[in-house]
CSV table of all heavy atoms in Angstrom, one decimal:
chain,number,residue,atom,x,y,z
A,1,ARG,N,2.5,-11.5,-2.3
A,1,ARG,CA,3.8,-11.6,-3.0
A,1,ARG,C,3.6,-12.1,-4.4
A,1,ARG,O,3.9,-11.5,-5.4
A,1,ARG,CB,4.8,-12.4,-2.3
A,1,ARG,CG,6.2,-12.5,-2.9
A,1,ARG,CD,7.2,-13.3,-2.2
A,1,ARG,NE,6.8,-14.7,-2.1
A,1,ARG,CZ,7.6,-15.6,-1.6
A,1,ARG,NH1,8.7,-15.3,-1.0
A,1,ARG,NH2,7.2,-16.9,-1.5
A,2,ASP,N,2.9,-13.3,-4.5
A,2,ASP,CA,2.6,-13.9,-5.8
A,2,ASP,C,1.4,-13.1,-6.4
A,2,ASP,O,1.3,-13.1,-7.7
A,2,ASP,CB,2.3,-15.4,-5.7
A,2,ASP,CG,3.4,-16.2,-5.2
A,2,ASP,OD1,4.6,-15.8,-5.5
A,2,ASP,OD2,3.3,-17.2,-4.5
A,3,PHE,N,0.5,-12.6,-5.6
A,3,PHE,CA,-0.6,-11.8,-6.1
A,3,PHE,C,-0.6,-10.5,-5.3
A,3,PHE,O,-1.5,-10.2,-4.5
A,3,PHE,CB,-1.9,-12.6,-5.8
A,3,PHE,CG,-2.0,-13.9,-6.5
A,3,PHE,CD1,-1.6,-15.1,-5.9
A,3,PHE,CD2,-2.6,-14.0,-7.8
A,3,PHE,CE1,-1.7,-16.3,-6.5
A,3,PHE,CE2,-2.6,-15.2,-8.4
A,3,PHE,CZ,-2.2,-16.4,-7.8
A,4,PRO,N,0.4,-9.7,-5.5
A,4,PRO,CA,0.5,-8.4,-4.7
A,4,PRO,C,-0.6,-7.4,-5.1
A,4,PRO,O,-1.0,-7.3,-6.3
A,4,PRO,CB,1.9,-7.9,-5.1
A,4,PRO,CG,2.1,-8.4,-6.5
A,4,PRO,CD,1.5,-9.8,-6.5
A,5,PHE,N,-1.1,-6.7,-4.1
A,5,PHE,CA,-2.1,-5.7,-4.4
A,5,PHE,C,-2.1,-4.7,-3.3
A,5,PHE,O,-1.6,-4.9,-2.2
A,5,PHE,CB,-3.5,-6.3,-4.5
A,5,PHE,CG,-4.0,-7.0,-3.3
A,5,PHE,CD1,-4.7,-6.4,-2.2
A,5,PHE,CD2,-3.8,-8.4,-3.1
A,5,PHE,CE1,-5.1,-7.0,-1.1
A,5,PHE,CE2,-4.3,-9.1,-2.0
A,5,PHE,CZ,-4.9,-8.4,-1.0
A,6,ILE,N,-2.7,-3.5,-3.6
A,6,ILE,CA,-2.8,-2.4,-2.7
A,6,ILE,C,-4.3,-2.1,-2.6
A,6,ILE,O,-5.0,-2.1,-3.7
A,6,ILE,CB,-2.0,-1.2,-3.1
A,6,ILE,CG1,-0.5,-1.5,-3.0
A,6,ILE,CG2,-2.4,0.0,-2.3
A,6,ILE,CD1,0.4,-0.4,-3.5
A,7,VAL,N,-4.8,-1.8,-1.4
A,7,VAL,CA,-6.2,-1.4,-1.2
A,7,VAL,C,-6.2,0.0,-0.6
A,7,VAL,O,-5.6,0.3,0.4
A,7,VAL,CB,-6.9,-2.4,-0.3
A,7,VAL,CG1,-8.4,-1.9,-0.1
A,7,VAL,CG2,-7.0,-3.7,-0.9
A,8,LEU,N,-7.0,0.9,-1.2
A,8,LEU,CA,-7.2,2.2,-0.7
A,8,LEU,C,-8.7,2.3,-0.3
A,8,LEU,O,-9.6,2.0,-1.1
A,8,LEU,CB,-7.0,3.3,-1.8
A,8,LEU,CG,-5.6,3.3,-2.5
A,8,LEU,CD1,-5.6,4.3,-3.7
A,8,LEU,CD2,-4.5,3.6,-1.6
A,9,ASN,N,-8.9,2.7,0.9
A,9,ASN,CA,-10.3,2.8,1.4
A,9,ASN,C,-10.9,4.1,0.9
A,9,ASN,O,-10.2,5.2,0.7
A,9,ASN,CB,-10.4,2.9,2.9
A,9,ASN,CG,-10.2,1.5,3.5
A,9,ASN,OD1,-10.1,0.5,2.8
A,9,ASN,ND2,-10.2,1.4,4.8
A,10,SER,N,-12.2,4.1,0.6
A,10,SER,CA,-12.9,5.3,0.0
A,10,SER,C,-12.8,6.5,1.0
A,10,SER,O,-12.8,7.6,0.6
A,10,SER,CB,-14.3,5.0,-0.3
A,10,SER,OG,-15.0,4.5,0.8
A,11,GLY,N,-12.8,6.2,2.3
A,11,GLY,CA,-12.7,7.2,3.3
A,11,GLY,C,-11.4,8.0,3.2
A,11,GLY,O,-11.4,9.2,3.5
A,12,LEU,N,-10.4,7.3,2.8
A,12,LEU,CA,-9.1,8.0,2.6
A,12,LEU,C,-9.2,9.0,1.4
A,12,LEU,O,-8.7,10.1,1.5
A,12,LEU,CB,-8.0,7.0,2.3
A,12,LEU,CG,-6.6,7.5,1.9
A,12,LEU,CD1,-5.9,8.1,3.1
A,12,LEU,CD2,-5.8,6.4,1.3
A,13,LEU,N,-9.8,8.5,0.3
A,13,LEU,CA,-9.9,9.3,-0.9
A,13,LEU,C,-10.7,10.6,-0.7
A,13,LEU,O,-10.4,11.6,-1.3
A,13,LEU,CB,-10.5,8.5,-2.0
A,13,LEU,CG,-9.8,7.2,-2.5
A,13,LEU,CD1,-10.6,6.6,-3.6
A,13,LEU,CD2,-8.4,7.4,-2.8
A,14,ASP,N,-11.6,10.5,0.3
A,14,ASP,CA,-12.5,11.7,0.5
A,14,ASP,C,-11.8,12.7,1.4
A,14,ASP,O,-12.3,13.8,1.6
A,14,ASP,CB,-13.8,11.2,1.2
A,14,ASP,CG,-14.7,10.4,0.3
A,14,ASP,OD1,-14.5,10.6,-1.0
A,14,ASP,OD2,-15.5,9.7,0.7
A,15,LEU,N,-10.7,12.4,2.0
A,15,LEU,CA,-10.0,13.2,3.0
A,15,LEU,C,-8.8,13.9,2.5
A,15,LEU,O,-8.5,15.0,2.9
A,15,LEU,CB,-9.7,12.5,4.3
A,15,LEU,CG,-9.2,13.3,5.5
A,15,LEU,CD1,-10.2,14.3,6.0
A,15,LEU,CD2,-8.7,12.3,6.6
A,16,VAL,N,-8.0,13.2,1.6
A,16,VAL,CA,-6.7,13.7,1.3
A,16,VAL,C,-6.7,14.4,-0.1
A,16,VAL,O,-7.6,14.1,-1.0
A,16,VAL,CB,-5.7,12.6,1.3
A,16,VAL,CG1,-5.6,11.9,2.6
A,16,VAL,CG2,-6.0,11.5,0.2
A,17,SER,N,-5.7,15.2,-0.3
A,17,SER,CA,-5.5,15.8,-1.6
A,17,SER,C,-4.8,14.9,-2.6
A,17,SER,O,-4.3,13.8,-2.1
A,17,SER,CB,-4.6,17.1,-1.5
A,17,SER,OG,-3.3,16.8,-1.1
A,18,GLU,N,-4.6,15.3,-3.8
A,18,GLU,CA,-3.9,14.4,-4.8
A,18,GLU,C,-2.5,14.2,-4.4
A,18,GLU,O,-2.0,13.1,-4.5
A,18,GLU,CB,-4.0,15.1,-6.2
A,18,GLU,CG,-3.4,14.2,-7.3
A,18,GLU,CD,-3.7,14.8,-8.7
A,18,GLU,OE1,-4.8,14.8,-9.1
A,18,GLU,OE2,-2.6,15.2,-9.3
A,19,ALA,N,-1.8,15.3,-3.9
A,19,ALA,CA,-0.4,15.2,-3.5
A,19,ALA,C,-0.3,14.2,-2.3
A,19,ALA,O,0.7,13.4,-2.3
A,19,ALA,CB,0.1,16.6,-3.2
A,20,GLU,N,-1.2,14.3,-1.4
A,20,GLU,CA,-1.2,13.5,-0.2
A,20,GLU,C,-1.5,12.0,-0.6
A,20,GLU,O,-0.9,11.1,0.0
A,20,GLU,CB,-2.2,14.0,0.8
A,20,GLU,CG,-1.8,15.3,1.4
A,20,GLU,CD,-2.9,16.1,2.0
A,20,GLU,OE1,-4.0,15.5,2.2
A,20,GLU,OE2,-2.8,17.3,2.1
A,21,LEU,N,-2.4,11.8,-1.6
A,21,LEU,CA,-2.7,10.5,-2.0
A,21,LEU,C,-1.5,9.8,-2.7
A,21,LEU,O,-1.2,8.6,-2.5
A,21,LEU,CB,-3.8,10.5,-3.1
A,21,LEU,CG,-4.2,9.2,-3.7
A,21,LEU,CD1,-4.7,8.2,-2.6
A,21,LEU,CD2,-5.3,9.4,-4.7
A,22,ARG,N,-0.7,10.6,-3.3
A,22,ARG,CA,0.6,10.1,-3.9
A,22,ARG,C,1.5,9.6,-2.8
A,22,ARG,O,2.1,8.5,-3.0
A,22,ARG,CB,1.3,11.2,-4.7
A,22,ARG,CG,2.5,10.7,-5.5
A,22,ARG,CD,3.2,11.9,-6.2
A,22,ARG,NE,2.3,12.5,-7.2
A,22,ARG,CZ,2.2,12.0,-8.4
A,22,ARG,NH1,3.0,11.0,-8.8
A,22,ARG,NH2,1.4,12.6,-9.3
A,23,THR,N,1.5,10.3,-1.7
A,23,THR,CA,2.4,9.8,-0.6
A,23,THR,C,1.9,8.5,0.0
A,23,THR,O,2.7,7.6,0.3
A,23,THR,CB,2.5,10.8,0.5
A,23,THR,OG1,1.3,10.9,1.3
A,23,THR,CG2,2.8,12.2,0.0
A,24,VAL,N,0.6,8.3,0.0
A,24,VAL,CA,0.0,7.1,0.5
A,24,VAL,C,0.3,5.9,-0.4
A,24,VAL,O,0.8,4.8,0.0
A,24,VAL,CB,-1.6,7.2,0.7
A,24,VAL,CG1,-2.2,5.8,1.1
A,24,VAL,CG2,-1.9,8.2,1.7
A,25,ILE,N,0.1,6.1,-1.7
A,25,ILE,CA,0.4,5.1,-2.7
A,25,ILE,C,1.9,4.7,-2.7
A,25,ILE,O,2.3,3.5,-2.7
A,25,ILE,CB,0.0,5.5,-4.1
A,25,ILE,CG1,-1.6,5.6,-4.1
A,25,ILE,CG2,0.4,4.5,-5.2
A,25,ILE,CD1,-2.1,6.2,-5.4
A,26,ALA,N,2.7,5.7,-2.6
A,26,ALA,CA,4.2,5.4,-2.6
A,26,ALA,C,4.6,4.7,-1.3
A,26,ALA,O,5.4,3.8,-1.3
A,26,ALA,CB,5.0,6.8,-2.6
A,27,HIS,N,3.9,5.0,-0.2
A,27,HIS,CA,4.2,4.3,1.1
A,27,HIS,C,3.8,2.8,1.0
A,27,HIS,O,4.6,2.0,1.4
A,27,HIS,CB,3.3,5.0,2.2
A,27,HIS,CG,3.4,4.3,3.5
A,27,HIS,ND1,4.2,4.6,4.6
A,27,HIS,CD2,2.7,3.2,4.0
A,27,HIS,CE1,4.0,3.8,5.6
A,27,HIS,NE2,3.1,2.9,5.2
A,28,GLU,N,2.7,2.6,0.4
A,28,GLU,CA,2.2,1.1,0.3
A,28,GLU,C,3.1,0.4,-0.7
A,28,GLU,O,3.5,-0.8,-0.5
A,28,GLU,CB,0.8,1.1,-0.1
A,28,GLU,CG,-0.2,1.7,0.9
A,28,GLU,CD,-0.1,1.1,2.3
A,28,GLU,OE1,0.3,-0.1,2.4
A,28,GLU,OE2,-0.3,1.8,3.2
A,29,LEU,N,3.5,1.1,-1.8
A,29,LEU,CA,4.5,0.5,-2.7
A,29,LEU,C,5.8,0.2,-2.0
A,29,LEU,O,6.5,-0.7,-2.4
A,29,LEU,CB,4.6,1.4,-3.9
A,29,LEU,CG,3.5,1.4,-4.9
A,29,LEU,CD1,3.7,2.4,-6.0
A,29,LEU,CD2,3.2,0.0,-5.5
A,30,GLY,N,6.2,1.0,-1.1
A,30,GLY,CA,7.4,0.8,-0.3
A,30,GLY,C,7.4,-0.5,0.4
A,30,GLY,O,8.4,-1.2,0.5
A,31,HIS,N,6.2,-0.9,1.0
A,31,HIS,CA,6.0,-2.1,1.6
A,31,HIS,C,6.3,-3.3,0.6
A,31,HIS,O,6.9,-4.3,0.9
A,31,HIS,CB,4.6,-2.3,2.2
A,31,HIS,CG,4.4,-1.6,3.5
A,31,HIS,ND1,5.3,-1.8,4.6
A,31,HIS,CD2,3.5,-0.7,3.9
A,31,HIS,CE1,4.9,-1.0,5.6
A,31,HIS,NE2,3.8,-0.3,5.2
A,32,LEU,N,5.7,-3.1,-0.6
A,32,LEU,CA,5.9,-4.2,-1.6
A,32,LEU,C,7.4,-4.2,-2.0
A,32,LEU,O,7.9,-5.3,-2.3
A,32,LEU,CB,5.0,-3.9,-2.8
A,32,LEU,CG,3.5,-4.1,-2.6
A,32,LEU,CD1,2.7,-3.7,-3.8
A,32,LEU,CD2,3.2,-5.5,-2.1
A,33,LYS,N,8.0,-3.1,-2.2
A,33,LYS,CA,9.4,-3.0,-2.7
A,33,LYS,C,10.3,-3.7,-1.6
A,33,LYS,O,11.2,-4.4,-2.0
A,33,LYS,CB,9.8,-1.5,-2.8
A,33,LYS,CG,11.2,-1.3,-3.3
A,33,LYS,CD,11.3,-1.6,-4.8
A,33,LYS,CE,12.7,-1.3,-5.3
A,33,LYS,NZ,12.9,-1.5,-6.8
A,34,CYS,N,10.0,-3.5,-0.4
A,34,CYS,CA,10.8,-4.1,0.7
A,34,CYS,C,10.4,-5.5,1.0
A,34,CYS,O,11.0,-6.2,1.9
A,34,CYS,CB,10.6,-3.3,2.0
A,34,CYS,SG,11.4,-1.6,1.9
A,35,GLU,N,9.4,-6.0,0.3
A,35,GLU,CA,8.9,-7.4,0.5
A,35,GLU,C,8.5,-7.6,1.9
A,35,GLU,O,8.7,-8.7,2.5
A,35,GLU,CB,10.0,-8.4,0.1
A,35,GLU,CG,10.4,-8.3,-1.4
A,35,GLU,CD,11.4,-9.4,-1.8
A,35,GLU,OE1,11.5,-10.4,-1.1
A,35,GLU,OE2,12.1,-9.1,-2.8
A,36,HIS,N,7.8,-6.6,2.5
A,36,HIS,CA,7.3,-6.7,3.8
A,36,HIS,C,6.1,-7.6,3.9
A,36,HIS,O,5.8,-8.1,5.0
A,36,HIS,CB,6.9,-5.3,4.3
A,36,HIS,CG,8.0,-4.4,4.7
A,36,HIS,ND1,7.9,-3.0,4.7
A,36,HIS,CD2,9.3,-4.7,5.1
A,36,HIS,CE1,9.0,-2.5,5.1
A,36,HIS,NE2,9.9,-3.5,5.3
A,37,THR,N,5.4,-7.8,2.8
A,37,THR,CA,4.0,-8.3,2.9
A,37,THR,C,4.0,-9.7,3.4
A,37,THR,O,2.9,-10.1,4.0
A,37,THR,CB,3.4,-8.2,1.5
A,37,THR,OG1,4.2,-8.8,0.5
A,37,THR,CG2,3.2,-6.7,1.1
A,38,ILE,N,4.9,-10.6,3.1
A,38,ILE,CA,4.9,-12.0,3.6
A,38,ILE,C,4.9,-12.0,5.1
A,38,ILE,O,4.1,-12.6,5.8
A,38,ILE,CB,6.0,-12.8,3.1
A,38,ILE,CG1,5.9,-13.0,1.6
A,38,ILE,CG2,6.1,-14.2,3.8
A,38,ILE,CD1,4.6,-13.7,1.1
A,39,LEU,N,5.8,-11.2,5.7
A,39,LEU,CA,5.9,-11.1,7.2
A,39,LEU,C,4.6,-10.5,7.8
A,39,LEU,O,4.2,-10.8,8.9
A,39,LEU,CB,7.1,-10.4,7.7
A,39,LEU,CG,8.4,-11.2,7.6
A,39,LEU,CD1,9.6,-10.4,8.2
A,39,LEU,CD2,8.3,-12.5,8.4
A,40,ILE,N,4.1,-9.5,7.0
A,40,ILE,CA,2.8,-8.9,7.5
A,40,ILE,C,1.7,-9.9,7.6
A,40,ILE,O,1.0,-10.0,8.6
A,40,ILE,CB,2.4,-7.7,6.6
A,40,ILE,CG1,3.4,-6.5,6.7
A,40,ILE,CG2,1.0,-7.3,6.9
A,40,ILE,CD1,3.1,-5.4,5.7
A,41,GLN,N,1.6,-10.8,6.5
A,41,GLN,CA,0.6,-11.8,6.6
A,41,GLN,C,0.8,-12.8,7.6
A,41,GLN,O,-0.1,-13.3,8.3
A,41,GLN,CB,0.5,-12.5,5.2
A,41,GLN,CG,-0.1,-11.5,4.1
A,41,GLN,CD,0.1,-12.1,2.7
A,41,GLN,OE1,0.8,-11.5,1.9
A,41,GLN,NE2,-0.5,-13.2,2.5
A,42,MET,N,2.1,-13.2,7.9
A,42,MET,CA,2.4,-14.1,8.9
A,42,MET,C,2.1,-13.5,10.3
A,42,MET,O,1.6,-14.2,11.2
A,42,MET,CB,4.0,-14.4,8.9
A,42,MET,CG,4.4,-15.3,7.8
A,42,MET,SD,6.2,-15.6,7.8
A,42,MET,CE,6.4,-16.3,9.4
A,43,ALA,N,2.3,-12.2,10.5
A,43,ALA,CA,2.0,-11.5,11.7
A,43,ALA,C,0.4,-11.6,12.0
A,43,ALA,O,0.0,-11.9,13.1
A,43,ALA,CB,2.4,-10.1,11.7
């Protein structure tokens, strides 16, 4: 939250297309937008 970041594994980049990669990045940004990350870390 104070130091938010997203990590993409290289194995993902080797499998998906550019359009599919956009969906992955948007999905992870959705977690940040919803402020899910604090509860994720607590879990």
Side-chain angles (χ1 to χ4, degrees):
R1 183 179 65 176
D2 298 328
F3 300 89
F5 61 88
I6 292 172
V7 176
L8 307 173
N9 284 357
S10 57
L12 173 74
L13 302 183
D14 293 337
L15 186 64
V16 302
S17 68
E18 183 174 295
E20 292 154 17
L21 179 60
R22 185 182 299 273
T23 74
V24 174
I25 292 174
H27 173 98
E28 299 305 330
L29 286 173
H31 282 307
L32 293 178
K33 181 76 174 182
C34 291
E35 300 182 21
H36 285 154
T37 53
I38 293 298
L39 281 183
I40 290 173
Q41 290 170 244
M42 284 178 61

